[in-house]
């Protein structure tokens, strides 16, 4: 862990984490705090958010980790969160998008389009709002990064996951458009900020292993590995990661 001493690229960085209340969020908050970042966490669930923030603070006593209950489905509320964060902490150096959700079906024709309405909000609308709200702030940073976590089904959709796979594919396309905006803003010098996509098959964490001790979880990414991969996006130059899919599972 090359930046665990707080002297790496994340030392002093201000990073907003959307969807911070789940297991991946908890691992990410801890890892970012360990790397020396000031972490601004948001989640729709105040209780889960408070637990994740407390865990990160407990793991790294000197770290600044704060929690905000933000409705990321409200563009104005998301913009206010971005502006408030930059004003209070002086910069916004990163956004990690971990807002997720899953709905599936037994077959393609059994797909319930209500699932699409649900997933469109979680998987796409939250990406649209966070990227629009933080775009200018990330450009003002000397190390701005937007990190989306996606899933391999976006590249090889399957019959019973049509809504989920399509939602993830749309979120990736939106993030690549953000990357193109960063590229254009950088001009001849190349992008100063970067938008990158981390692609997984599925996530696993200690509680899942405890519940299913005989399960193999083949191809799954541990939430701690994901957190490490997220922090490593700052260790590479912006032009190297901007608009890139970084695969944490074999490409389909």
């Amino acid at each position: 862990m090359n930046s665990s001493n707080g002297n790496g690229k994340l030392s002093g960085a201000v990073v907003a984490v959307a969807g911070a209340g789940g297991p991946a969020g908890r691992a990410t908050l801890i890892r970012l705090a360990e790397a020396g970042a000031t972490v601004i966490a948001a989640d729709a669930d105040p209780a889960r958010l408070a637990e994740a923030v407390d865990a990160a603070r407990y793991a790294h006593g000197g770290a600044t980790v704060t929690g905000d209950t933000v409705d990321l489905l409200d563009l104005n509320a998301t913009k206010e969160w971005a502006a408030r964060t930059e004003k209070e902490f002086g910069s916004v150096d990163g956004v990690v998008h971990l807002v997720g959700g899953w709905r599936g079906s037994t077959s393609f024709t059994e797909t319930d389009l209500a699932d699409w309405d649900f997933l469109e909000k979680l998987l796409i609308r939250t990406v649209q709002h966070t990227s629009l709200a933080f775009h200018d702030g990330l450009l003002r940073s000397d190390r701005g990064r937007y990190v989306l976590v996606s899933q391999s089904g976006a590249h090889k959709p399957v019959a019973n996951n049509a809504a989920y796979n399509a939602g993830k594919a749309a979120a990736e396309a939106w993030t690549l458009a953000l990357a193109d905006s960063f590229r254009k803003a950088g001009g001849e010098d190349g992008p100063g900020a970067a938008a990158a996509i981390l692609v997984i098959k599925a996530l696993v964490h200690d509680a899942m292993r405890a519940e299913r001790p005989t399960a193999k979880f083949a191809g799954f990414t541990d939430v701690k590995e994901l957190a490490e991969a997220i922090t490593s996006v700052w260790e590479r130059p912006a032009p190297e990661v901007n608009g890139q899919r970084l695969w944490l599972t074999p490409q389909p």
Side-chain angles (χ1 to χ4, degrees):
M1 292 188 181
N2 55 7
S3 55
S4 58
N5 58 7
N7 294 325
K9 302 285 187 185
L10 274 163
S11 182
V14 178
V15 181
V17 180
R26 185 176 293 218
T28 299
L29 298 189
I30 290 172
R31 184 66 190 97
L32 288 168
E34 180 186 41
T38 294
V39 189
I40 318 302
D43 198 272
D45 184 324
R48 286 204 323 171
L49 178 62
E51 284 178 16
V53 167
D54 286 348
R57 285 178 179 161
Y58 181 76
H60 299 284
T64 300
V65 185
T66 65
D68 258 331
T69 307
V70 182
D71 181 6
L72 297 176
L73 295 177
D74 181 330
L75 178 57
N76 287 329
T78 310
K79 284 182 172 179
E80 285 168 12
W81 179 44
R84 189 167 66 245
T85 299
E86 189 172 8
K87 184 178 179 183
E88 185 172 342
F89 296 97
S91 68
V92 176
D93 305 301
V95 177
V96 179
H97 189 279
L98 296 172
V99 182
W102 179 83
R103 296 269 176 95
S105 57
T106 53
S107 69
F108 181 76
T109 53
E110 292 291 318
T111 300
D112 183 348
L113 289 177
D115 290 347
W116 169 258
D117 295 336
F118 170 79
L119 292 169
E120 184 271 337
K121 291 184 177 71
L122 285 180
L123 303 183
I124 306 169
R125 193 56 57 119
T126 58
V127 172
Q128 292 172 327
H129 288 174
T130 53
S131 59
L132 291 168
F134 284 95
H135 175 277
D136 291 358
L138 292 174
L139 275 180
R140 284 189 285 271
S141 167
D142 61 355
R143 50 184 163 177
R145 300 287 186 273
Y146 187 98
V147 183
L148 175 76
V149 177
S150 189
Q151 198 264 344
S152 54
H155 304 269
K156 192 176 182 181
V158 292
N160 63 329
N161 252 354
Y164 178 77
N165 293 159
K168 281 295 192 183
E172 286 198 14
W174 187 275
T175 303
L176 294 175
L178 171 65
D180 190 53
S181 181
F182 288 159
R183 182 184 63 79
K184 288 188 165 96
E188 290 182 6
D189 296 332
I197 299 165
L198 299 179
V199 189
I200 60 166
K201 173 185 175 182
L203 291 172
V204 63
H205 51 86
D206 291 346
M208 286 171 64
R209 291 194 183 92
E211 285 171 14
R212 297 169 59 196
T214 59
K216 295 280 191 270
F217 298 109
F220 284 41
T221 299
D222 189 279
V223 291
K224 295 186 186 75
E225 291 172 41
L226 176 66
E228 188 65 36
I230 288 167
T231 61
S232 72
V233 172
W234 275 266
E235 298 296 331
R236 295 165 64 179
E240 198 177 293
V241 291
N242 188 49
Q244 298 301 310
R245 292 183 179 91
L246 309 173
W247 287 82
L248 303 184
T249 189
Q251 276 185 254

